[in-house]
Amino acid sequence: MTVTVTRTTVPEHGIVRYASVGGLELEAGGYLPDVTLAYETWGTLNADASNAVLIEHALTGSTHVTRGDTDEPGWWEQLAGPGAPVDTDRFFVVSINIVGGCYGSTGPSSPAPDGAPWGSRFPLVTLRDSTVAEARLADQLGIRSWFAVLGGSMGGARALEWAITFPERVQRCAVISVGAASTAEQIAFAQAQTLAIRQDANFKGGDYYGGPFPEDGLALARRIAHITYRSAAELEGRFGREPQAPESPLQGGVLAARGRYQVESYLDHQGNKLVRRFDANSYIAITEALMSHDICRGRGPLPETLARSGARFFVAAVDSDRLYFPAQSRELAAALPGEVDVHVIEAPIGHDGFLTEIGQLGRQLRAHLSA
Ligand SMILES: CC(=O)SCCNC(=O)CCNC(=O)[C@H](O)C(C)(C)COP(=O)(O)OP(=O)(O)OC[C@H]1O[C@@H](n2cnc3c(N)ncnc32)[C@H](O)[C@@H]1OP(=O)(O)O
Ligand SMILES: N[C@@H](CCO)C(=O)O
């Protein structure tokens, strides 16, 4: 594929911007014309464009990594910013909404060429496809090679895919809370989530933008996902068998009227919260992209695939993660050429620890970015 390199004025900081990156021939055979990528930046690109860092968001994240011109806190608020481990006084930090998303990039709710939302017609987009689109944005920003690409969970998968697809363009790569490929179990959990949405009567094959929306299905998908993001110990310690007072799980007379346990109320809340900020089709599109995660696809065995990259790697895992097991991160690190430490994030919470344990992760990352 030929990419036109266009040097543009460096955009202002902390405001979502939009770049048109052209049409995408997709790995699975489809075509997505006129792709738009939403992105935010922080800091200043230096004269030789050698200080650029790409932060890739996880499944339901947005471009808003940290506050910029606005005061709205980001999802890695203490990790990036002035003086932070990803120091925006030193680095030009970029974050891009994934293709298929609902935070500004082209996704199922975007207008197709006929003006109606893509809906059921939105093509299957893999993480590799998104990386190709992001490389075009990097070209437009004048970034030939990233000082570092980093992310957690799906963000880590995107970072790893960057390092392998464009080895000459990634100098450091931080792969946090994810392995080299989505495992059978991760695909299985993902399928239960996408089916929860697809089986909502309001889903209508994905063509629901006139409303009503498949909110029940999306909320159920989030409940399933959220259980996998938290450890059994965290749920037990936090909620145990407590009722959601004044409700009582053993009162109400009939099954349909019984009160909830606290943990049920908590999951209801998590589901409803996502419904208020996320599009159901995007949830499916991005989840399927994550299912596609496999850096070896079409490339060969893991060590050979990883050897394509000359990047310095940082691999980290949350010790209590029951979705992306630390063993999968160790397996990735063992297959990388040279010595690679697996940094352990000690957190009882489970997978979401990569979002909540910023202190530990920040110290480890600061050292990696300073070396
Ligand atoms: C515009 C945007 O939002 S951009 C996207 C930003 N989000 C992302 O990037 C995704 C990444 N972030 C996340 O997944 C989460 O925010 C995390 C992992 C960082 C933290 O998870 P949280 O849900 O905030 O934390 P936690 O598990 O402690 O849940 C707290 C919530 O549960 C609620 N809760 C706790 N117990 C109960 C209960 N028994 N019943 C009902 N609700 C309960 C709290 O009131 C709180 O509600 P609130 O978030 O509306 O204030
Ligand atoms: N809870 C996070 C982590 C997923 O890996 C999210 O919703 O994006």
Side-chain angles (χ1 to χ4, degrees):
M1 175 180 296
T2 314
V3 175
T4 312
V5 178
T6 320
R7 183 129 199 161
T8 60
T9 311
V10 172
E12 292 167 25
H13 308 161
I15 297 172
V16 179
R17 296 187 168 263
Y18 301 90
S20 185
V21 298
L24 268 187
E25 297 281 357
L26 301 166
E27 231 192 323
Y31 180 72
L32 201 49
D34 302 329
V35 173
T36 294
L37 290 182
Y39 65 102
E40 282 186 63
T41 72
W42 300 261
T44 305
L45 189 63
N46 61 14
D48 60 357
S50 61
N51 68 335
V53 171
L54 176 61
I55 298 183
E56 300 278 44
H57 66 74
L59 191 77
T60 71
S62 67
T63 56
H64 200 57
V65 176
T66 185
R67 64 190 78 201
D69 282 352
T70 69
D71 278 340
E72 187 192 343
W75 50 266
W76 251 358
E77 183 62 32
Q78 271 83 44
L79 203 86
V86 185
D87 187 351
T88 53
D89 289 336
R90 175 184 172 203
F91 297 118
F92 177 64
V93 178
V94 181
S95 181
I96 308 172
N97 186 216
I98 192 168
V99 178
C102 53
Y103 285 113
S105 290
T106 297
S109 59
S110 309
D114 65 1
W118 279 99
S120 61
R121 301 170 296 170
F122 195 75
L124 173 58
V125 181
T126 65
L127 293 189
R128 209 170 286 180
D129 294 323
S130 279
T131 305
V132 171
E134 291 172 19
R136 295 188 195 166
L137 173 56
D139 292 335
Q140 290 185 19
L141 294 173
I143 298 163
R144 181 65 211 148
S145 172
W146 297 100
F147 179 85
V149 180
L150 50 107
S153 193
M154 188 186 76
R158 295 166 73 193
L160 185 56
E161 190 59 55
W162 249 103
I164 305 304
T165 304
F166 298 105
E168 73 289 358
R169 304 191 68 167
V170 179
Q171 297 160 44
R172 285 172 180 73
C173 181
V175 185
I176 302 158
S177 300
V178 73
S182 290
T183 64
E185 185 183 55
Q186 288 152 7
I187 292 170
F189 279 128
Q191 189 227 24
Q193 294 165 45
T194 57
L195 272 182
I197 297 171
R198 289 188 164 116
Q199 291 182 0
D200 186 313
N202 293 333
F203 182 62
K204 301 191 192 90
D207 296 317
Y208 54 76
Y209 289 107
F213 294 84
E215 295 180 351
D216 290 348
L218 179 57
L220 177 53
R222 184 60 164 182
R223 286 183 185 86
I224 297 165
H226 199 77
I227 296 165
T228 70
Y229 298 157
R230 300 301 167 103
S231 69
E234 198 236 1
L235 295 178
E236 192 59 35
R238 204 164 159 190
F239 305 111
R241 297 189 46 76
E242 293 301 313
Q244 181 67 22
E247 299 177 32
S248 171
L250 295 183
Q251 283 178 2
V254 292
L255 285 173
R258 75 158 177 83
R260 296 169 299 173
Y261 292 95
Q262 265 188 25
V263 69
E264 294 178 289
S265 166
Y266 170 70
L267 290 174
D268 290 347
H269 180 78
Q270 296 297 336
N272 292 334
K273 207 167 133 185
L274 189 76
V275 162
R276 292 197 294 273
R277 71 173 178 88
F278 220 79
D279 173 52
N281 272 325
S282 276
Y283 194 94
I284 293 176
I286 300 175
T287 300
E288 299 246 353
L290 182 52
M291 286 189 203
S292 79
H293 170 50
D294 177 6
I295 56 161
C296 295
R297 185 174 57 252
R299 290 169 172 154
L302 186 58
E304 281 84 333
T305 296
L306 291 172
R308 290 168 173 237
S309 170
R312 297 172 68 153
F313 278 87
F314 171 102
V315 177
V318 179
D319 56 0
S320 59
D321 195 329
R322 60 167 161 183
L323 180 59
Y324 292 93
F325 301 132
Q328 290 154 9
S329 297
R330 284 197 295 273
E331 192 183 322
L332 167 66
L336 280 163
E339 288 274 305
V340 181
D341 290 336
V342 179
H343 297 271
V344 176
I345 303 166
E346 292 177 0
I349 189 174
H351 179 65
D352 270 345
F354 83 90
L355 289 162
T356 58
E357 292 299 327
I358 298 306
Q360 285 178 58
L361 180 58
R363 281 190 293 280
Q364 296 160 355
L365 261 182
R366 189 189 288 278
H368 177 70
L369 296 175
S370 302

